[in-house]
């Protein structure tokens, strides 16, 4: 009833998380090219609308979740989806925009690194994801690199604006952990809904602040960046959550500022600095500590029933009436079993540790 793993435990979660960070990291330098033509509120709205509309068109071409081998949203998923969209698509952007109006850019850039810390802290302290000293050191090395990249020598201003920016980071940390709860469902639908809601909210804020829609060419460029840098990135982030859990995905995602800084060198011609080199070294050490993790022990799988996209690996040994394609999605049962292999806190390994 069981078969050996045919691939590394790093696959596909780590490449998905790094790919998500790379696409998201590319969005700021590309967006910076558009800021001269677009109000910041309107820019944020169009980026998110590009993500939502682009993924909506993709879903129409691809077909529904069932046809794509993905589990569809069920009634039990709606509260978690609503919480994720509310925190990440409404509360966080609004807090951030108002915080930016009351706080310095340098202080806000530093505070935005709290999102990664909030994501990991909630995953470890509230949802009890497994963590050891190696992962902690790696995560803080990555975060230290991100903080260094944002540092402009002015420190953090502790005022109402700073509190609002920190609140936005906490809301995004909650969003990431709520999204983990529905990561077994079609990620395209989840990301599409997040993009549409956040897009409408931010465009509304832009219009309320007196902004107007830019030219058609600028709208097209902005929505294109949003589709890739936010939409596709978010789909990959949700898929990574399935395989890695929230804390590890959040740590890899924290590499986005460094990727953005590298792209800014090539796209905007920005100089290579000592700060960038040290930040890269810190993040490289943190990345190596995470990639070299090998969490392996004998563990029990309790009886479980759920639905998600899967292939017939060692955790999915069940019969079908007729031939089926892989991957596919349907409601299925897992019998109790005990075995040992390297694993992350994915959909089937969210067990406790002594």
């Amino acid at each position: 009833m069981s078969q050996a793993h045919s691939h590394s435990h790093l696959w596909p979660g780590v490449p998905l998380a790094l790919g998500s960070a790379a696409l998201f990291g590319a969005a700021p330098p590309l967006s910076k090219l558009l800021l001269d033509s677009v109000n910041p509120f309107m820019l944020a709205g169009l980026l998110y609308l590009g993500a939502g509309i682009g993924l909506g068109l993709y879903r129409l071409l691809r077909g529904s979740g069932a046809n794509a081998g993905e589990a569809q949203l069920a009634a039990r998923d709606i509260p978690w989806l609503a919480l994720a969209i509310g925190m990440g698509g409404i509360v966080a952007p609004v807090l951030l925009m108002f915080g930016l109006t009351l706080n310095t850019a340098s202080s806000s850039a530093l505070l935005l690194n709290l999102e990664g810390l909030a994501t990991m802290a909630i995953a470890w302290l509230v949802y009890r994801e497994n963590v050891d000293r190696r992962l902690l050191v790696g995560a803080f090395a990555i975060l230290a690199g991100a903080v260094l990249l944002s540092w402009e020598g002015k420190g953090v201003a502790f005022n109402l604006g700073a509190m609002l920016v920190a609140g936005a980071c906490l809301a995004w940390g909650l969003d990431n952990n709520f999204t983990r709860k529905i990561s077994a469902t079609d990620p395209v639908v989840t990301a599409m809904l997040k993009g549409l809601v956040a897009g409408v909210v931010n465009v509304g804020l832009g219009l309320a602040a007196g902004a107007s829609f830019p030219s058609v060419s600028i709208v097209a460029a902005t929505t294109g960046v949003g589709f890739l840098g936010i939409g596709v990135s978010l789909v990959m982030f949700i898929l990574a959550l399935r395989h890695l859990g929230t804390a590890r995905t959040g740590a890899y995602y924290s590499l986005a500022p460094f990727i953005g800084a590298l792209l800014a060198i090539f796209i905007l011609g920005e100089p290579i600095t000592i700060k960038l080199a040290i930040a890269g070294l810190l993040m490289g050490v943190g990345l190596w500590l995470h990639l070299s993790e090998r969490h392996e022990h004998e563990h029990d799988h309790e009886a479980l029933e759920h639905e998600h996209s899967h292939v017939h690996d060692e955790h999915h040994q069940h019969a079908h009436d007729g031939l089926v394609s892989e991957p596919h999605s349907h409601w299925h049962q897992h019998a109790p079993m005990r075995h040992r292999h390297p694993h992350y806190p994915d959909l089937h390994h969210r067990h406790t540790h002594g």
Side-chain angles (χ1 to χ4, degrees), residues 23-35 43 47 225 229 256-257 260 264 268:
L23 286 174
F24 186 73
L30 292 174
S31 299
K32 191 172 181 179
L33 295 173
L34 300 165
L35 269 176
L43 177 63
L47 287 170
V225 171
L268 303 176

Side-chain angles (χ1 to χ4, degrees), residues 50-326:
I53 294 171
L55 291 175
L57 292 173
Y58 170 75
R59 184 173 181 272
L60 285 176
L61 294 173
R62 183 205 65 179
S64 67
N67 293 332
E70 291 288 350
Q72 300 187 61
L73 286 167
R76 64 184 177 277
D77 302 316
I78 300 303
W80 293 113
L81 176 63
L83 285 169
I85 292 177
M87 286 291 115
I90 298 176
V91 174
V94 170
L95 289 177
L96 177 62
M97 291 304 173
F98 282 106
L100 289 174
T101 63
L102 300 172
N103 201 29
T104 64
S106 58
S107 178
S108 297
L110 282 170
L111 287 166
L112 283 172
N113 293 299
L114 290 175
E115 180 189 346
L117 185 59
T119 297
M120 289 182 277
I122 293 168
W124 289 330
L125 300 177
V126 178
Y127 293 104
R128 301 296 182 184
E129 283 193 11
N130 171 255
V131 61
D132 57 23
R133 187 177 302 171
R134 181 188 195 88
L135 286 175
L136 277 173
V137 172
F140 281 105
I142 292 172
L143 285 171
V147 169
L148 181 60
L149 280 177
S150 308
W151 184 265
E152 294 185 6
K154 299 176 183 178
V156 176
F158 292 100
N159 52 29
L160 178 59
M163 293 176 62
L164 291 173
V165 174
C169 292
L170 176 60
W172 273 314
L174 289 167
D175 166 27
N176 292 334
N177 280 275
F178 293 151
T179 300
R180 176 200 190 228
K181 292 286 189 177
I182 53 174
S183 60
T185 63
D186 190 344
V188 172
V189 173
T190 301
M192 175 190 71
L193 293 173
K194 281 188 174 185
L196 291 174
V197 171
V200 169
V201 168
N202 282 287
V203 166
L205 286 172
L207 294 174
S212 58
F213 283 98
S215 65
V216 174
S217 60
I218 295 296
V219 169
T222 305
T223 53
V225 171
F227 171 63
L228 294 172
I230 295 177
V232 177
S233 173
L234 183 53
V235 170
M236 295 178 76
F237 182 87
I238 295 171
L239 289 171
L241 288 175
R242 291 182 183 177
H243 300 282
L244 303 179
T246 315
R248 288 163 178 82
T249 303
Y252 287 122
Y253 199 69
S254 297
L255 291 165
F258 180 69
I259 296 169
L262 289 180
L263 288 173
I265 293 172
F266 297 102
I267 296 173
L268 303 176
E270 294 187 358
I272 300 175
T273 63
I274 296 295
K275 182 171 70 173
L276 178 63
I278 297 174
L281 178 62
L282 284 169
M283 289 184 159
V285 170
L287 180 62
W288 174 78
L289 287 170
H290 277 254
L291 288 176
S292 58
E293 174 198 9
R294 188 176 177 85
H295 182 74
E296 180 176 0
H297 60 90
E298 196 166 31
H299 55 274
D300 291 302
H301 290 269
E302 298 180 355
L304 174 66
E305 293 186 28
H306 61 176
E307 180 179 2
H308 64 93
S309 179
H310 63 276
V311 297
H312 287 164
D313 57 15
E314 67 177 313
H315 294 102
H316 299 90
Q317 297 293 311
H318 49 252
H320 288 269
D321 294 329
L323 297 175
V324 294
S325 60
E326 293 189 350

